[in-house]
Amino acid sequence: MPYPFVGNMELMGKQRSLELGTLVLPTLLLLLFYGARGSHCSLVHGNMTDRRSLLDFKEAITDDPGGALHDWNDGIHHCMWSGVSCSVRHPGRVTTLELGSLNLTGQITPSLGNLTFLRELNLTDNHFSGQLPSLNRLIKLEFLALRENILQGNIQDATIALANCSKLMWLEISSNMLVGSIPRKIGSFSNLVFLDLSQNNLTGTIPPTFSNITRLLYLFLGENQLEGNIPGELGQPSNMQALVLKGNKLSGRVPSELCNISSLILLDLGMNMLSGALPPNIGDTLLGLEWLYLGTNNLEGHIPDLLGNASALVHLDLSSNYFTGQIR
Ligand SMILES: *[C@@H]1O[C@H](CO)[C@@H](O)[C@H](O)[C@H]1NC(C)=O
Ligand SMILES: *[C@@H]1O[C@H](CO)[C@@H](O)[C@H](O)[C@H]1NC(C)=O
Ligand SMILES: *[C@@H]1O[C@H](CO)[C@@H](O)[C@H](O)[C@H]1NC(C)=O
Ligand SMILES: *[C@@H]1O[C@H](CO)[C@@H](O)[C@H](O)[C@H]1NC(C)=O
Ligand SMILES: *[C@@H]1O[C@H](CO)[C@@H](O)[C@H](O)[C@H]1NC(C)=O
Ligand SMILES: *[C@@H]1O[C@H](CO)[C@@H](O)[C@H](O)[C@H]1NC(C)=O
Ligand SMILES: *[C@@H]1O[C@H](CO)[C@@H](O)[C@H](O)[C@H]1NC(C)=O
Ligand SMILES: *[C@@H]1O[C@H](CO)[C@@H](O)[C@H](O)[C@H]1NC(C)=O
Ligand SMILES: *[C@@H]1O[C@H](CO)[C@@H](O)[C@H](O)[C@H]1NC(C)=O
């Protein structure tokens, strides 16, 4: 299901990252590199650790059908390698590694945990397998995008591997093969704006500690095996714009606290085992709601007068439930 406005957030996030100083200035780096070749080598090769870490990562890539890493070789400064950007203020220090949609096969090596200036790691849509290594030294990391790979292991271990990345704003590990239950510790990533763990094999209940992530705008936990009630605390990150819990085994009522998130644009609770009546105030407060999916649950009772007042609503699915009465 496409959620177009989330794409806009991606752009917003990127712009913020750029403002924060991840400048990509290839020409300047070229000049520095070639200009400094003779006597001032140390300026450019200021940190060989980053170069070694990248080479170590490359060695663990077992298939690169498009030759994406063909220029990762001796003749070229590592800041000029495809997908790599470096800091301007700290020459040679890698700030971005962006290798999405390249059909790369391999493992994410622990050496990436040595790129201590890294702000952004994007390996989306490849064939990376194995577990997420410890990235605990990456205290500057803001964007981690690993969607659509075949990463394995327990979400608890993945959380520990990131425990010190307290600046993380964007955490996207959807469409992988993670198992286990979401740890309460998830609440300690208090700067998260975007969290997507959908399409894994997560079990257990949704921890109430999401209420700690007050900046959260987008939360996607759909298509897992989550069970139990939807915690009312999810109503706490009160600027949330999208909450997607579809395709789990969630039961109990739709908590009335969710109706307090007046910023919600998308609410998708479809394909669960939710029961009982909808909170009566659902139409009063969710005035900006554009997408509401509650289909394929065991919900019952009257449909609140939400159709009349949720005037922004463009997509509504209440099908396959036990609703009665009239739509007004
Ligand atoms: C190079 O990077 C390593 C690993 O992050 C760090 O420990 C070391 O202090 C850095 N050295 C310099 C000169 O910046
Ligand atoms: C990745 O693989 C797909 C399917 O084999 C192919 O269509 C696509 O062009 C490949 N992309 C790259 C960058 O090699
Ligand atoms: C990651 O890379 C993909 C391209 O493969 C891009 O579409 C996506 O926007 C990037 N994600 C982030 C968070 O920058
Ligand atoms: C990380 O860098 C240190 C040196 O700063 C080195 O001793 C260690 O082997 C590196 N770890 C990996 C996994 O590359
Ligand atoms: C987090 O960083 C601190 C200080 O650098 C370190 O002592 C601690 O072991 C790190 N935590 C983990 C889980 O690696
Ligand atoms: C909630 O946030 C506070 C302050 O940021 C932090 O000290 C605490 O550990 C967090 N709780 C959880 C469960 O993450
Ligand atoms: C999820 O876990 C269940 C039970 O362990 C297993 O049967 C199923 O194949 C797994 N699904 C995926 C997509 O990994
Ligand atoms: C919703 O918010 C109002 C005012 O902020 C508060 O009085 C009320 O208790 C909240 N309702 C729920 C169910 O959290
Ligand atoms: C719907 O909106 C109308 C006009 O804005 C208002 O009079 C009415 O009380 C609202 N109904 C509900 C159920 O909030």
Side-chain angles (χ1 to χ4, degrees), residues 61 135 164 200-201 204 209 213 224:
I61 305 268
L135 301 178
N164 274 353
N200 280 285
N201 216 347
T209 49
I213 315 179
N224 282 291

Side-chain angles (χ1 to χ4, degrees), residues 7-62:
N8 297 340
M9 175 56 204
E10 264 177 46
L11 288 174
M12 274 169 53
K14 272 297 171 51
Q15 271 160 14
R16 197 183 145 209
S17 171
L18 285 172
E19 278 162 24
L20 290 171
T22 310
L23 297 171
V24 189
L25 294 174
T27 9
L28 176 58
L29 285 168
L30 251 184
L31 284 173
L32 276 174
F33 180 44
Y34 289 107
R37 247 188 164 164
S39 48
H40 299 99
C41 246
S42 58
L43 174 67
V44 173
H45 292 292
N47 204 310
M48 291 301 290
T49 311
D50 281 11
R51 188 180 177 90
R52 271 197 299 273
S53 300
L54 291 172
L55 285 173
D56 189 76
F57 171 73
K58 185 191 176 187
E59 255 172 53
I61 305 268
T62 54

Side-chain angles (χ1 to χ4, degrees), residues 25-297:
L25 294 174
T27 9
L28 176 58
L29 285 168
L30 251 184
L31 284 173
L32 276 174
F33 180 44
Y34 289 107
R37 247 188 164 164
S39 48
H40 299 99
C41 246
S42 58
L43 174 67
V44 173
H45 292 292
N47 204 310
M48 291 301 290
T49 311
D50 281 11
R51 188 180 177 90
R52 271 197 299 273
S53 300
L54 291 172
L55 285 173
D56 189 76
F57 171 73
K58 185 191 176 187
E59 255 172 53
I61 305 268
T62 54
D63 195 22
D64 175 8
L69 306 185
H70 70 281
D71 60 357
W72 286 36
N73 60 45
D74 279 349
I76 301 177
H77 189 268
H78 65 271
C79 292
M80 303 300 298
W81 291 350
S82 296
V84 178
S85 310
C86 289
S87 165
V88 173
R89 282 199 300 158
H90 305 274
R93 302 310 311 263
V94 176
T95 53
T96 303
L97 186 56
E98 195 161 17
L99 299 170
S101 302
L102 295 170
N103 292 331
L104 299 174
T105 300
Q107 306 241 335
I108 302 176
T109 52
S111 64
L112 289 193
N114 264 351
L115 299 175
T116 49
F117 275 61
L118 205 61
R119 284 180 204 277
E120 181 178 345
L121 176 58
N122 188 347
L123 304 176
T124 295
D125 185 21
N126 283 293
H127 311 288
F128 285 99
S129 59
Q131 301 205 0
L132 189 65
S134 174
L135 301 178
N136 256 315
R137 297 181 64 206
L138 307 189
I139 54 171
K140 293 176 189 280
L141 195 65
E142 293 178 3
F143 292 85
L144 180 60
L146 303 172
R147 175 169 51 90
E148 287 178 78
N149 280 285
I150 39 180
L151 296 173
Q152 290 141 338
N154 196 298
I155 182 71
Q156 312 245 2
D157 295 329
T159 313
I160 293 169
L162 299 170
N164 274 353
C165 307
S166 56
K167 288 200 174 159
L168 263 186
M169 295 171 46
W170 188 286
L171 179 55
E172 187 179 9
I173 326 185
S174 46
S175 300
N176 277 282
M177 295 171 68
L178 297 180
V179 298
S181 57
I182 303 171
R184 292 178 64 84
K185 274 267 177 200
I186 198 83
S188 62
F189 294 100
S190 56
N191 285 313
L192 280 180
V193 171
F194 181 101
L195 177 58
D196 187 356
L197 300 175
S198 54
Q199 292 182 304
N200 280 285
N201 216 347
L202 304 178
T203 51
T205 56
I206 299 176
T209 49
F210 280 104
S211 57
N212 228 13
I213 315 179
T214 51
R215 298 180 181 196
L216 202 59
L217 297 183
Y218 301 98
L219 178 58
F220 298 91
L221 301 176
E223 296 170 88
N224 282 291
Q225 320 263 359
L226 300 171
E227 58 190 24
N229 293 343
I230 299 175
E233 285 85 349
L234 280 188
Q236 287 289 324
S238 52
N239 293 317
M240 205 147 43
Q241 297 192 5
L243 175 61
V244 176
L245 305 176
K246 71 169 172 187
N248 282 291
K249 300 183 210 161
L250 299 167
S251 54
R253 288 175 170 250
V254 175
S256 62
E257 286 89 340
L258 292 192
C259 300
N260 259 6
I261 320 176
S262 54
S263 52
L264 268 185
I265 296 172
L266 162 65
L267 179 61
D268 190 346
L269 307 178
M271 291 181 284
N272 278 291
M273 291 151 57
L274 299 170
S275 58
L278 290 178
N281 57 337
I282 195 164
D284 301 355
T285 45
L286 301 182
L287 295 175
L289 204 60
E290 291 179 26
W291 315 57
L292 176 61
Y293 296 98
L294 300 172
T296 317
N297 278 291

Side-chain angles (χ1 to χ4, degrees), residues 301-317:
H302 287 268
I303 297 172
D305 289 348
L306 91 170
L307 288 184
N309 278 19
S311 54
L313 210 56
V314 281
H315 301 264
L316 173 69
D317 180 7

